[in-house]
Amino acid sequence: MLDPESRPDAFHVAIIMDGNGRWAQRRRRPRTAGHVAGAEAVRRTVEAAPALGITTLTLYAFSADNWKRPRTEVDHLMRLFRSHLHSECGRCVENGVRLNVIGRRDRLPAGLGDTIAAVEYRTRQGDRLHLRIAIDYSARDALVAAAAGMDKDGIPSREGFGAALAKAMNASPGPEDVDLLIRTGGEHRLSDFLLWESAYAELMFLDKAWPDFTAKDLEAAVRVFLARDRRFGGLTSTAGFKPNHSDRAEEAGS
Ligand code: FPP
C-alpha cells in the first residue's frame, strides 16, 4: 500500500489495455478468451485505483479503428461491454464509482447504447472514482469534431477548445489532463488515444499483456510515476504533479 502522505489529491491515469489477443493465442485459445480475461483485469484495476489516489481512470476499450476487426470479434466485444456494464453497475454504485463512456455513440448496437445511458445515470453521484471507458473512440476524430463545434466568432482559447472537445466525445464537463498513461502488451505507441489530454502525460510501456495486469502492477506504476520529475517546461521539479501558482511565485522570488 502507498503511504497516504504520498498520495496525490487528484490523479488521472489512462490505460491502453493491449495484448488480449496474444495472451489468448499463447494459450491456444480464441482471441475472445483474451478479452474475457481482460474484463477481469478491468475489474481488478478499478477496485485498486482509489486506494492509490487515482481519481480519474480512463480505459481504452475499443478504438474507432477496431471496427476493422472480424465481425465475430467485434460482436463479442460489444456483448462483453454490455454484460460487464450490467454486472458491474451495482458494484460501481456501492463503491462511489461514476462511470462514463467516451467516444461516439451513434455506431454502437442499440442495446449497448441503452445500457450505457442507464449505467451513467445510476452511477452519476459516485465521488470516489471517475471511471471513463473509451468505446468507438478516436482522439483525432474528437479533435476534428471539436474544431467544427467551436464558436467561429469567439477568440480561440485552450479552455474553450477543451470544452468543445469534451462535448465532442460525450465527456463533460471537460477533458482532464492525463497524468500517467500506461500501455500494456509491449507496443510503444499512442494509437489515437487522448492526444490533446496527454500533452504532458508521463508515459509507461509494459511488456505484460493486459489480462495479466494486477493491482500490484498498478501500484508499481504509480510508484514509478511519483518518483518522476515533471517540470512542464519549467525548471521546478514537481515530483509527479503540476506546480501550483504559489510554487511559481516562490520560484520567481515574489
Ligand atoms: C487490445 O488487445 C484490446 C482490445 C481491443 C479490447 C479491450 C477490451 C477489454 C480489455 C475487455 C473488456 C473491457 C471492458 C471495459 C469490460 P488486442 O486484442 O489488440 O490484443 P493483441 O494486440 O494481442 O492482438
Side-chain angles (χ1 to χ4, degrees):
M1 270 295 135
L2 278 189
D3 171 6
E5 291 292 302
S6 67
R7 283 191 217 151
D9 294 336
F11 181 14
H12 182 183
V13 174
I15 307 183
I16 301 176
M17 309 182 288
D18 194 19
N20 292 356
R22 281 164 288 160
W23 181 93
Q25 280 160 349
R26 277 198 294 274
R27 287 162 179 75
R28 299 185 192 290
R29 292 166 67 189
R31 293 176 53 81
T32 49
H35 298 317
V36 172
E40 289 302 315
V42 168
R43 182 177 299 130
R44 290 195 292 274
T45 304
V46 171
E47 274 173 12
L52 296 169
I54 296 169
T55 48
T56 301
L57 178 66
T58 306
L59 302 176
Y60 205 6
F62 192 89
S63 76
D65 287 321
N66 286 151
W67 293 112
K68 295 174 195 159
R69 293 187 176 206
R71 180 70 193 265
T72 47
E73 183 170 342
V74 169
D75 287 349
H76 174 91
L77 277 168
M78 295 297 150
R79 281 196 302 274
L80 185 61
F81 296 148
R82 191 173 175 198
S83 70
H84 187 88
L85 290 171
H86 264 303
S87 65
E88 296 305 303
C89 184
R91 212 193 305 246
C92 285
V93 174
E94 280 162 26
N95 291 292
V97 176
R98 173 160 65 101
L99 195 150
N100 285 113
V101 171
I102 62 171
R104 284 179 66 164
R105 297 273 169 96
D106 58 312
R107 300 190 289 196
L108 301 180
L112 178 58
D114 292 344
T115 301
I116 290 170
V119 174
E120 287 185 333
Y121 184 74
R122 279 192 60 201
T123 63
R124 69 195 182 285
Q125 277 165 346
D127 57 4
R128 244 177 114 228
L129 175 69
H130 186 193
L131 171 62
R132 309 191 317 163
I133 299 183
I135 299 178
D136 197 4
Y137 176 87
S138 154
R140 291 199 292 196
D141 286 352
L143 289 164
V144 170
M150 288 288 281
D151 175 4
K152 301 290 177 295
D153 300 324
I155 298 167
S157 68
R158 289 183 181 185
E159 289 71 25
F161 188 76
L165 185 61
K167 201 168 160 212
M169 59 176 181
N170 293 307
S172 57
E176 304 176 52
D177 279 355
V178 175
D179 292 301
L180 168 62
L181 191 147
I182 301 170
R183 180 176 188 138
T184 61
E187 312 285 3
H188 296 187
R189 53 179 170 256
L190 296 179
S191 299
D192 201 11
F193 188 44
L194 300 175
L195 299 180
W196 170 274
E197 297 86 336
S198 297
Y200 273 101
E202 292 295 319
L203 308 180
M204 221 169 274
F205 299 100
L206 307 180
D207 287 336
K208 192 173 254 205
W210 175 250
D212 290 330
F213 191 80
T214 64
K216 284 252 168 285
D217 293 319
L218 185 64
E219 182 177 335
V222 169
R223 283 185 191 282
V224 170
F225 167 81
L226 289 173
R228 285 200 184 168
D229 185 19
R230 298 178 88 192
R231 295 184 300 280
F232 297 93
L235 301 178
T236 310
S237 166
T238 59
F241 285 88
K242 260 187 184 164
N244 59 32
H245 292 290
S246 59
D247 289 337
R248 285 194 213 119
E250 272 169 34
E251 190 191 358
S254 55

